[in-house]
Amino acid sequence: MVDVTLRIRRYNPEHATQKKPYWEEFTLKNCDPTDRILDLLHRIKWEQDGTLAMRRSCAHGVCGSDAVRINGRNRLACKVLINELGAESQAHIKVQVEPILGLPIQKDLIVDMEPFFAHYREVMPFFINDEPVPANGRERLQTKEDRAKFDDTTKCILCACCTTSCPSFWANGKYVGPAAIVQAHRFIFDTRDKGAQERINILAEPNGVWRCRTIFNCTPACPREIEVTKAIGEVKLAIQKNSPDGIIKITEIKEVVFSS
Ligand code: SF4
Ligand code: F3S
Ligand code: FES
């Protein structure tokens, strides 16, 4: 068993003395090395300070709602065991937990996700195809090879770990960010979808993919192990190879990226 001190970034704009962010420490005795950071946050909220604000839902790495910065890295609180943070070899560890960066803090560990979701909506993250469904009345078919082209980016759970670890996004919140590009990638390279050209045109704009400077923070931040920077690179390549004037054809995009 191990004692854990959580150093938590607190902020409450509605409280007379907590209007500025500050650090507060909570110590929990006899934690199990297999406890997750989310378990410890729950214990603090339930046993020590019910005012601690955090967001979570599934508790199993699926909903993406509990992204926080743990010891300086964006992680899902429900996926980080304390034995990853030294609990196996030490009797007492200290762990720092703070809100993800680049989005306005609402209270304690909760940030306003609306700017993030606004960028998500910008790239039209939905299936577009107005053509009649096949005559057999069944779903639109696709080869295994075509499906594999966007398999990785279907795994996104919109947790924002990637976008809020990106220095380009910190510097300019108008940048759509890696998560929105991952979502666009999922549809751009789907042979059944007909909206690729519109999405490519949006991402060729100044606040689209070219604000990515290939810093690579986004890829290790992704709890779904999506190759985020690779997906961004594929979208960049599609624009660069096909679109000297920003106007390209959907068939060209789909052919060129995976043959290069
Ligand atoms: Fe989260 Fe990964 Fe999706 Fe980014 S790409 S929002 S890090 S799941
Ligand atoms: Fe940012 Fe990732 Fe590009 S960290 S700059 S989106 S490679
Ligand atoms: Fe749902 Fe962690 S609470 S991903």
Side-chain angles (χ1 to χ4, degrees), residues 162 165-169 175 177-178 181 211-219 228-229 232 236:
C162 55
S165 68
C166 172
S168 286
F169 180 73
Y175 170 37
I181 301 170
R211 286 213 182 276
C212 167
R213 304 293 198 262
T214 324
I215 295 168
F216 260 99
N217 278 12
C218 52
T219 299
V228 180
T229 311
I232 296 170
K236 284 178 177 174

Side-chain angles (χ1 to χ4, degrees), residues 78-143:
C78 66
K79 285 194 75 175
V80 179
L81 308 186
I82 57 172
N83 62 14
E84 287 178 45
L85 306 171
E88 290 237 303
S89 54
Q90 298 170 59
H92 185 180
I93 62 167
K94 198 167 188 175
V95 180
Q96 183 166 293
V97 183
E98 56 191 312
I100 48 179
L101 303 179
L103 294 170
I105 304 171
Q106 292 183 317
K107 189 182 176 200
D108 296 335
L109 301 175
I110 297 179
V111 298
D112 180 3
M113 294 288 283
E114 181 48 34
F116 173 80
F117 284 114
H119 288 317
Y120 168 62
R121 290 191 293 271
E122 279 170 33
V123 302
M124 301 190 300
F126 41 81
F127 184 73
I128 298 172
N129 189 338
D130 293 333
E131 294 173 3
V133 291
N136 62 12
R138 300 180 66 183
E139 61 196 288
R140 295 180 167 91
L141 298 179
Q142 186 169 56
T143 65

Side-chain angles (χ1 to χ4, degrees), residues 116 155-163 179 182 221-224 226 228:
F116 173 80
K155 297 186 300 190
C156 177
I157 56 172
L158 291 170
C159 66
C161 281
C162 55
T163 296
V182 162
C222 180
R224 303 287 294 169
I226 296 169
V228 180

Side-chain angles (χ1 to χ4, degrees), residues 11-20 22 51 107:
Y11 169 65
N12 182 356
E14 294 175 352
H15 192 282
T17 61
Q18 298 170 359
K19 288 184 191 300
K20 285 188 178 171
Y22 64 102
T51 69
K107 189 182 176 200

Side-chain angles (χ1 to χ4, degrees), residues 54 188 199 239:
M54 59 187 176
I188 287 170
R199 295 190 193 91
I239 296 171

Side-chain angles (χ1 to χ4, degrees), residues 38 55-66 76-79 157:
L38 181 63
R55 196 179 269 134
R56 82 286 191 211
S57 181
C58 72
H60 291 285
V62 178
C63 72
S65 65
D66 62 340
L76 296 178
C78 66
K79 285 194 75 175
I157 56 172

